[in-house]
Each structure stands twice: as structure tokens, then as C-alpha cells.
Amino acid sequence: MLIPHGTVIAVVDGKAWELYRNAGTEAAPELAVMETPALVEHNHSSGGSHASPHQQDETAHCAAVADWLNRQVQAHKIAQIVLIAPPRALGELRHALSKATQHAMIKELAKDMVGRQPNDIIAALRGK
């Protein structure tokens, strides 16, 4: 997969996240680490929820990440985004992404990649 210059890559799991920007070219991407902002996570689940506390925390984390991404896209600070997350977290993120953020997303990958090296992330995006 070609990753356009300037594309933001958000790598998320149920409790952590990392941000990268492609500082290279489309054909030869170089992921530069971006500062990952602290999030305000609120657990909005109702008292009648059947989700475990871990799932509730994961849902709150993904909602906070999606909120931050939505605000960045709305403010035109992110034009294109790649989203990488394990399947459950990816589903939670999809629910919370605005239409504008969904349109800015050029690829999503259902895989747990938090804590991996940038070269591993590029290889995963290329399907290697």
C-alpha cells in the first residue's frame, strides 16, 4: 500500500495509542513519531451494561481516541489517516468516528500493533 506523504497513522489498542506521520514518500514511507496527547477518558456506560469493566475501559479509551481524531480532522490538522487496531477496538473506533474522519481514512488494519517498530507497521500495512 502506498502511504501518501503527511498521512497520520494512528495505532490503537484498548488502553494505549501511538501516532506517526509519514515523513517519507508514498513509495518509501518513513514513519516519524508524533507526540501522543493525553486523553480524557470517561466511562459512559450505563449501570445496566453487561460489559466487563475491562471492556468498558476499552470502549471509553477508543471513544476518547476517536474524539481526538475527529477534532483534528475537523480543524484540518489531519487530511489523511490510517487506523490500526485490534478487531474489537477497531469496531469501537468505527462507531465513534465522524463522517469527515471516515472520509479522511485511507486504510484501516485490524491488527494489534501498539509497541511495534515503525518498520513492522509499514510491513503490516503492505501485507508482509
Side-chain angles (χ1 to χ4, degrees), residues 16 27-28 37 42 45 54 57 66 91 96 103 107 113 115-116 124:
H42 297 286
S45 66
H54 172 74
D57 290 345
H103 288 307
K107 176 152 178 87
M113 297 295 292
R116 295 304 235 348

Side-chain angles (χ1 to χ4, degrees), residues 23-46:
T25 64
E26 275 189 78
E30 293 179 30
L31 300 187
V33 176
M34 296 174 59
E35 182 178 337
T36 305
L39 300 174
V40 177
E41 299 175 16
H42 297 286
N43 190 335
H44 295 291
S45 66
S46 65

Side-chain angles (χ1 to χ4, degrees), residues 96-114:
L97 293 176
S98 69
K99 293 283 184 202
T101 304
Q102 291 173 16
H103 288 307
M105 194 173 353
I106 61 171
K107 176 152 178 87
E108 61 181 39
L109 179 64
K111 195 166 187 173
D112 188 356
M113 297 295 292
V114 168

